[in-house]
Amino acid sequence: IIDSAISEGFHNFVISVFYLSEVIIEYFGDGSDRGININYIKENNPLGTAGALSMIDPVPALPFVITNGDVMTNIKYSDVLHYHDNNNSSATMVIRRHGIQNPFGVVILEDMQIKGFQEKPIYTSNINVGIYVLDGQCLGLLNLDEVCDMPTLFTRVSSKKDMKSIAFPMHEEWVDIGNIDDYHQIINETNSN
Protein backbone atom coordinates (compact mmCIF):
# COMPACT_ATOMS: atom_id res chain seq x y z
CA ILE A 1 0.00 0.00 0.00
CA ILE A 2 2.71 2.46 0.99
CA ASP A 3 4.96 1.58 -1.96
CA SER A 4 2.05 2.05 -4.35
CA ALA A 5 1.22 5.45 -2.84
CA ILE A 6 4.89 6.49 -2.97
CA SER A 7 5.02 5.60 -6.67
CA GLU A 8 2.17 8.10 -7.20
CA GLY A 9 3.97 10.90 -5.35
CA PHE A 10 2.45 10.63 -1.88
CA HIS A 11 5.02 11.31 0.83
CA ASN A 12 3.18 12.01 4.13
CA PHE A 13 1.60 9.05 5.91
CA VAL A 14 -0.23 8.47 9.18
CA ILE A 15 -0.58 4.88 10.34
CA SER A 16 -3.12 3.98 13.00
CA VAL A 17 -1.79 1.23 15.24
CA PHE A 18 -3.15 -0.87 18.06
CA TYR A 19 -2.56 -4.62 17.71
CA LEU A 20 1.16 -5.41 17.23
CA SER A 21 1.89 -1.67 17.15
CA GLU A 22 5.53 -2.16 18.19
CA VAL A 23 6.18 -4.49 15.25
CA ILE A 24 4.61 -2.08 12.75
CA ILE A 25 6.45 0.96 14.13
CA GLU A 26 9.75 -0.91 14.18
CA TYR A 27 9.27 -2.06 10.58
CA PHE A 28 8.30 1.32 9.07
CA GLY A 29 10.05 3.69 11.50
CA ASP A 30 9.67 7.34 10.59
CA GLY A 31 9.77 6.55 6.86
CA SER A 32 13.06 8.33 6.23
CA ASP A 33 14.62 5.17 4.74
CA ARG A 34 11.93 5.38 2.02
CA GLY A 35 12.17 9.16 1.62
CA ILE A 36 8.76 9.76 3.23
CA ASN A 37 7.32 10.96 6.54
CA ILE A 38 5.39 8.55 8.75
CA ASN A 39 3.54 9.53 11.91
CA TYR A 40 1.51 7.19 14.09
CA ILE A 41 -1.84 7.29 15.82
CA LYS A 42 -1.59 4.98 18.82
CA GLU A 43 -4.99 3.75 19.93
CA ASN A 44 -5.35 2.67 23.57
CA ASN A 45 -8.48 0.73 22.57
CA PRO A 46 -9.65 -0.19 19.07
CA LEU A 47 -11.66 2.79 17.81
CA GLY A 48 -12.58 1.64 14.30
CA THR A 49 -11.23 3.25 11.15
CA ALA A 50 -13.13 6.53 11.56
CA GLY A 51 -12.64 6.64 15.33
CA ALA A 52 -8.86 6.54 14.90
CA LEU A 53 -9.10 9.55 12.58
CA SER A 54 -10.45 11.60 15.51
CA MET A 55 -6.88 11.59 16.87
CA ILE A 56 -5.31 13.30 13.82
CA ASP A 57 -3.79 16.60 14.93
CA PRO A 58 -3.60 19.00 13.21
CA VAL A 59 -6.62 18.47 10.96
CA PRO A 60 -5.40 18.22 7.35
CA ALA A 61 -6.04 21.30 5.22
CA LEU A 62 -6.26 19.25 2.02
CA PRO A 63 -8.31 16.12 1.21
CA PHE A 64 -6.54 12.93 2.28
CA VAL A 65 -6.71 9.25 1.34
CA ILE A 66 -7.52 6.54 3.88
CA THR A 67 -7.06 2.84 3.20
CA ASN A 68 -7.50 -0.24 5.34
CA GLY A 69 -4.25 -2.09 5.88
CA ASP A 70 -5.66 -5.44 4.72
CA VAL A 71 -6.56 -4.37 1.17
CA MET A 72 -4.51 -5.35 -1.85
CA THR A 73 -5.33 -3.50 -5.07
CA ASN A 74 -3.77 -1.84 -8.08
CA ILE A 75 -6.08 1.19 -7.89
CA LYS A 76 -4.45 4.59 -8.34
CA TYR A 77 -5.07 6.59 -5.18
CA SER A 78 -4.49 9.78 -7.15
CA ASP A 79 -7.44 8.87 -9.44
CA VAL A 80 -9.74 8.64 -6.41
CA LEU A 81 -8.38 11.93 -5.05
CA HIS A 82 -8.96 13.72 -8.38
CA TYR A 83 -12.49 12.27 -8.62
CA HIS A 84 -13.18 13.53 -5.08
CA ASP A 85 -11.94 17.03 -5.98
CA ASN A 86 -13.68 17.17 -9.37
CA ASN A 87 -17.03 16.27 -7.74
CA ASN A 88 -16.68 18.78 -4.86
CA SER A 89 -17.14 15.94 -2.41
CA SER A 90 -16.61 16.06 1.35
CA ALA A 91 -16.29 12.27 1.60
CA THR A 92 -15.68 9.69 -1.14
CA MET A 93 -15.98 5.93 -0.65
CA VAL A 94 -14.51 3.50 -3.16
CA ILE A 95 -17.01 0.80 -4.04
CA ARG A 96 -17.01 -2.29 -6.21
CA ARG A 97 -19.70 -4.53 -7.68
CA HIS A 98 -19.65 -7.94 -6.02
CA GLY A 99 -21.66 -10.97 -6.94
CA ILE A 100 -22.64 -13.93 -4.80
CA GLN A 101 -23.94 -17.02 -6.56
CA ASN A 102 -26.70 -19.03 -4.95
CA PRO A 103 -25.55 -22.67 -5.15
CA PHE A 104 -29.12 -23.86 -5.69
CA GLY A 105 -31.90 -23.44 -8.19
CA VAL A 106 -34.39 -20.82 -7.00
CA VAL A 107 -38.12 -21.40 -7.28
CA ILE A 108 -40.17 -18.29 -8.05
CA LEU A 109 -43.54 -18.37 -6.31
CA GLU A 110 -46.68 -16.27 -6.37
CA ASP A 111 -49.28 -17.26 -3.79
CA MET A 112 -47.56 -20.66 -3.51
CA GLN A 113 -47.93 -21.29 -7.24
CA ILE A 114 -44.74 -21.99 -9.11
CA LYS A 115 -44.21 -19.23 -11.67
CA GLY A 116 -40.68 -19.99 -12.75
CA PHE A 117 -37.16 -21.03 -11.91
CA GLN A 118 -33.74 -19.42 -11.81
CA GLU A 119 -30.83 -21.82 -11.90
CA LYS A 120 -28.12 -20.72 -9.46
CA PRO A 121 -28.71 -16.96 -9.81
CA ILE A 122 -26.04 -14.39 -9.04
CA TYR A 123 -26.99 -11.54 -6.71
CA THR A 124 -24.89 -8.39 -7.11
CA SER A 125 -24.46 -5.38 -4.85
CA ASN A 126 -22.05 -2.51 -4.27
CA ILE A 127 -19.51 -3.19 -1.53
CA ASN A 128 -17.23 -0.89 0.45
CA VAL A 129 -13.63 -1.79 -0.45
CA GLY A 130 -11.97 0.05 2.47
CA ILE A 131 -10.52 3.02 0.55
CA TYR A 132 -11.74 6.58 1.12
CA VAL A 133 -10.98 10.27 0.58
CA LEU A 134 -12.05 12.81 3.20
CA ASP A 135 -11.91 16.56 3.59
CA GLY A 136 -10.66 17.73 6.97
CA GLN A 137 -14.10 19.09 7.86
CA CYS A 138 -15.35 15.49 8.13
CA LEU A 139 -13.17 15.02 11.21
CA GLY A 140 -15.36 17.59 12.98
CA LEU A 141 -18.12 14.98 12.94
CA LEU A 142 -16.06 12.69 15.20
CA ASN A 143 -15.59 12.76 18.95
CA LEU A 144 -12.13 12.10 20.36
CA ASP A 145 -11.68 8.45 21.42
CA GLU A 146 -15.16 7.51 20.15
CA VAL A 147 -15.52 4.10 18.52
CA CYS A 148 -16.72 4.81 14.98
CA ASP A 149 -16.59 2.95 11.68
CA MET A 150 -16.46 4.55 8.23
CA PRO A 151 -20.10 3.75 7.27
CA THR A 152 -21.21 5.66 10.39
CA LEU A 153 -19.03 8.63 9.45
CA PHE A 154 -20.40 8.59 5.89
CA THR A 155 -23.95 8.53 7.28
CA ARG A 156 -23.10 11.60 9.37
CA VAL A 157 -21.65 13.39 6.33
CA SER A 158 -24.72 12.50 4.25
CA SER A 159 -27.01 14.00 6.90
CA LYS A 160 -25.34 17.42 6.62
CA LYS A 161 -26.86 19.83 4.07
CA ASP A 162 -23.53 21.55 3.46
CA MET A 163 -21.57 18.31 2.93
CA LYS A 164 -21.59 15.75 0.14
CA SER A 165 -20.62 12.07 0.13
CA ILE A 166 -20.18 10.13 -3.10
CA ALA A 167 -19.03 6.74 -4.36
CA PHE A 168 -16.09 6.04 -6.66
CA PRO A 169 -16.76 2.83 -8.61
CA MET A 170 -13.56 0.83 -9.03
CA HIS A 171 -12.85 -1.77 -11.70
CA GLU A 172 -9.26 -2.59 -10.76
CA GLU A 173 -8.16 -5.76 -9.02
CA TRP A 174 -9.00 -5.84 -5.32
CA VAL A 175 -8.63 -8.42 -2.56
CA ASP A 176 -9.45 -8.15 1.13
CA ILE A 177 -6.79 -10.14 2.97
CA GLY A 178 -8.43 -9.85 6.37
CA ASN A 179 -7.15 -13.23 7.50
CA ILE A 180 -3.92 -15.16 7.15
CA ASP A 181 -5.39 -17.82 4.83
CA ASP A 182 -6.45 -15.15 2.31
CA TYR A 183 -2.98 -13.59 2.53
CA HIS A 184 -1.22 -16.92 1.88
CA GLN A 185 -3.55 -17.64 -1.06
CA ILE A 186 -2.68 -14.28 -2.67
CA ILE A 187 1.05 -14.81 -2.08
CA ASN A 188 0.87 -18.30 -3.61
CA GLU A 189 -1.05 -17.00 -6.65
CA THR A 190 1.42 -14.13 -7.09
CA ASN A 191 4.42 -16.47 -6.85
CA SER A 192 2.94 -18.98 -9.33
CA ASN A 193 2.39 -16.26 -11.98
Side-chain angles (χ1 to χ4, degrees), residues 136-151:
Q137 66 179 348
C138 294
L139 301 185
L141 301 175
L142 299 169
N143 299 310
L144 187 62
D145 290 330
E146 169 193 29
V147 175
C148 187
D149 58 24
M150 291 303 279

Side-chain angles (χ1 to χ4, degrees), residues 38-143:
I38 299 178
N39 291 301
Y40 296 91
I41 295 173
K42 297 179 185 175
E43 298 174 70
N44 294 323
N45 298 302
L47 298 175
T49 303
L53 298 176
S54 72
M55 298 173 69
I56 293 178
D57 187 27
V59 172
L62 298 173
F64 56 99
V65 177
I66 301 104
T67 180
N68 293 356
D70 58 359
V71 171
M72 291 183 69
T73 182
N74 59 356
I75 195 170
K76 299 286 185 203
Y77 301 114
S78 56
D79 289 348
V80 183
L81 193 57
H82 290 126
Y83 179 86
H84 174 89
D85 285 338
N86 291 339
N87 286 282
N88 298 313
S89 181
S90 305
T92 301
M93 178 183 292
V94 179
I95 63 167
R96 179 182 179 90
R97 296 290 289 164
H98 180 72
I100 299 173
Q101 185 167 23
N102 188 327
F104 306 103
V106 173
V107 179
I108 301 167
L109 297 175
E110 187 177 303
D111 295 326
M112 295 310 290
Q113 292 185 35
I114 296 173
K115 294 296 182 182
F117 300 90
Q118 281 187 304
E119 190 58 37
K120 300 181 182 179
I122 298 174
Y123 303 102
T124 59
S125 57
N126 293 309
I127 62 166
N128 172 3
V129 303
I131 301 170
Y132 319 89
V133 176
L134 296 178
D135 286 349
Q137 66 179 348
C138 294
L139 301 185
L141 301 175
L142 299 169
N143 299 310

Side-chain angles (χ1 to χ4, degrees), residues 3-73:
D3 290 342
S4 178
I6 291 170
S7 74
E8 293 185 57
F10 291 87
H11 57 273
N12 290 310
F13 296 84
V14 176
I15 300 174
S16 172
V17 294
F18 176 70
Y19 179 67
L20 296 177
S21 60
E22 315 80 34
V23 175
I24 295 167
I25 293 169
E26 182 179 330
Y27 181 81
F28 287 109
D30 65 2
S32 58
D33 61 332
R34 290 177 165 84
I36 60 173
N37 303 309
I38 299 178
N39 291 301
Y40 296 91
I41 295 173
K42 297 179 185 175
E43 298 174 70
N44 294 323
N45 298 302
L47 298 175
T49 303
L53 298 176
S54 72
M55 298 173 69
I56 293 178
D57 187 27
V59 172
L62 298 173
F64 56 99
V65 177
I66 301 104
T67 180
N68 293 356
D70 58 359
V71 171
M72 291 183 69
T73 182

Side-chain angles (χ1 to χ4, degrees), residues 163-180:
M163 299 176 87
K164 177 180 172 184
S165 65
I166 63 172
F168 176 93
M170 77 174 294
H171 306 286
E172 294 83 358
E173 292 182 29
W174 172 85
V175 177
D176 179 346
I177 53 167
N179 66 56
I180 196 68

Side-chain angles (χ1 to χ4, degrees), residues 144-159:
L144 187 62
D145 290 330
E146 169 193 29
V147 175
C148 187
D149 58 24
M150 291 303 279
T152 300
L153 177 58
F154 271 77
T155 300
R156 291 176 184 175
V157 170
S158 297
S159 72

